[in-house]
Amino acid sequence: RWPKVGSMGKRRLQEEADDRRRRRLGDTDGCKNDYDGWKPPAGSFAPHPVARVAMSTVTPRDFFDRYVARRRPVVLTGGLEGTCWETAWKGWTDDALATCAARDDTVRVETRSSVTGAYGVGRYETMRFGDFVQRFRRGDETCYLTASPAAIDAQGRPQVAAPPASRLLGNANSGPPFRPPLAGKLVPANVNVWMGASADGASSGLHHDHHDNLYVLLRGTKRFELYAPSEIGSMYTVGTPVAVHRNGRVNYEESGRTRADGDDGSVAARVAAGAVNVAYAELEAAESAMANEEEGGAARVEAAERAVDAAMDAA
């Protein structure tokens, strides 16, 4: 959730984005900042190097306790050989991607008007993944495959991945798992594949995501410039921050408040509705059992009715 500037190589400023009028918050504006995670030492000066740790020495428990829970960025070193990402590192060649199962899937691609333009200003096109790969192979520097819009299944539930990631990853596709061993008990909110070509580097601009990132570099270079959520008063934001949660999640006046985990109430409501459905299904089964004069049927109905009442109250 740390605001970051990502670039392929050398950083470029976002000239087009800078044309928008942005106001620096300052320290006296009404944003309640409860962030209590890691931050660079007081009294020191930027840039501060990010810790580099051999991935082979980090267990899932270490990863969570030292970095995720403390909100501390880390670069895991040692390469991808022998890891769950080795198949992608070795197997996702241009030829393989051009002919893979995802080649006919429609993907959303970020574009820019020229190689000196900026990404991160809301300019997109949709195209076949195979067509994007061909442009990528030619060295086209005006298109960038970024995070895909969230996919929804037939029951209206959000999916972890959309094409092409949904075709390239997962055990069924002989690709890296959606949840790598390093994640331990952490559950991924979203899995994406980023691809872009740039001879001199391109910037995605200063922004922040709403979830932690585990970024695995398969080719090329990537540079991140990070700012602690405690520094939001020094940022030129798009939108008006009204709260920073302890874990660094930012809420904006324009989009409304959420819990620290990002739920605006819809997830809790969906879980509650599911509990109501389960309770009613049990009541129906209990009534059937009682009608068939099964032993304990009446008691089961009473318990099911209490469960329905409780589920309804919670919803």
Side-chain angles (χ1 to χ4, degrees):
R1 295 189 186 88
W2 284 45
K4 61 183 181 296
V5 173
S7 65
M8 294 175 289
K10 174 179 160 186
R11 175 184 174 185
R12 287 185 182 277
L13 295 176
Q14 261 189 285
E15 293 89 353
E16 295 178 39
D18 286 343
D19 288 339
R20 307 179 207 173
R21 297 180 64 85
R22 301 180 182 179
R23 183 175 64 88
R24 181 176 177 274
L25 283 176
D27 296 328
T28 60
D29 286 302
C31 176
K32 188 173 186 296
N33 196 329
D34 291 329
Y35 176 68
D36 66 356
W38 186 87
K39 63 188 75 170
S44 59
F45 298 94
H48 303 90
V50 173
R52 302 177 71 87
V53 179
M55 185 163 58
S56 61
T57 67
V58 180
T59 67
R61 185 78 251 177
D62 291 337
F63 182 58
F64 181 81
D65 289 344
R66 296 180 189 175
Y67 305 108
V68 178
R70 296 184 183 182
R71 327 307 301 143
R72 181 167 190 167
V74 62
V75 176
L76 299 173
T77 63
L80 300 178
E81 190 166 357
T83 71
C84 63
W85 298 290
E86 182 177 4
T87 54
W89 173 51
K90 292 182 176 179
W92 289 7
T93 63
D94 289 353
D95 287 340
L97 292 172
T99 58
C100 72
R103 63 185 181 278
D104 291 323
D105 288 328
T106 300
V107 296
R108 188 181 72 166
V109 174
E110 196 167 352
T111 63
R112 57 180 179 173
S113 56
S114 69
V115 295
T116 59
Y119 290 121
V121 294
R123 185 182 293 115
Y124 297 97
E125 291 181 16
T126 56
M127 63 183 70
R128 290 174 63 253
F129 178 62
D131 293 336
F132 166 78
V133 173
Q134 293 304 326
R135 291 177 63 171
F136 172 79
R137 296 180 75 171
R138 294 196 302 266
D140 189 335
E141 299 185 34
T142 63
C143 58
Y144 182 34
L145 180 68
T146 60
S148 302
I152 304 295
D153 70 9
Q155 285 73 44
R157 298 172 298 190
Q159 304 241 284
V160 171
S166 57
R167 300 267 198 177
L168 295 171
L169 286 88
N171 294 332
N173 301 316
S174 300
F178 288 111
R179 184 165 70 177
L182 184 66
K185 295 182 180 180
L186 296 173
V187 177
N190 198 240
V191 179
N192 287 286
V193 173
W194 284 265
M195 291 175 61
S198 180
D200 296 320
S203 173
S204 56
L206 182 63
H207 66 281
H208 69 80
D209 297 333
H210 290 291
H211 295 94
D212 297 333
N213 282 193
L214 177 60
Y215 200 101
V216 182
L217 187 67
L218 300 180
R219 297 194 222 171
T221 59
K222 187 81 173 178
R223 176 174 175 263
F224 291 92
E225 188 173 307
L226 306 172
Y227 299 86
S230 55
E231 298 301 320
I232 196 167
S234 301
M235 301 289 106
Y236 292 83
T237 62
V238 177
T240 306
V242 293
V244 181
H245 291 281
R246 291 179 60 193
N247 63 359
R249 186 179 181 94
V250 183
N251 286 166
Y252 292 90
E253 181 179 297
E254 292 79 4
S255 53
R257 291 180 181 265
T258 69
R259 302 192 324 181
D261 63 1
D263 181 24
D264 61 1
S266 59
V267 173
R270 190 162 59 246
V271 171
V276 169
N277 292 337
V278 170
Y280 270 118
E282 167 57 19
L283 178 59
E284 184 177 343
E287 289 173 339
S288 176
M290 187 171 69
N292 292 330
E293 299 183 349
E294 294 180 13
E295 185 178 350
R300 184 178 174 186
V301 168
E302 290 181 9
E305 288 175 340
R306 289 193 298 270
V308 167
D309 290 341
M312 292 290 289
D313 290 342

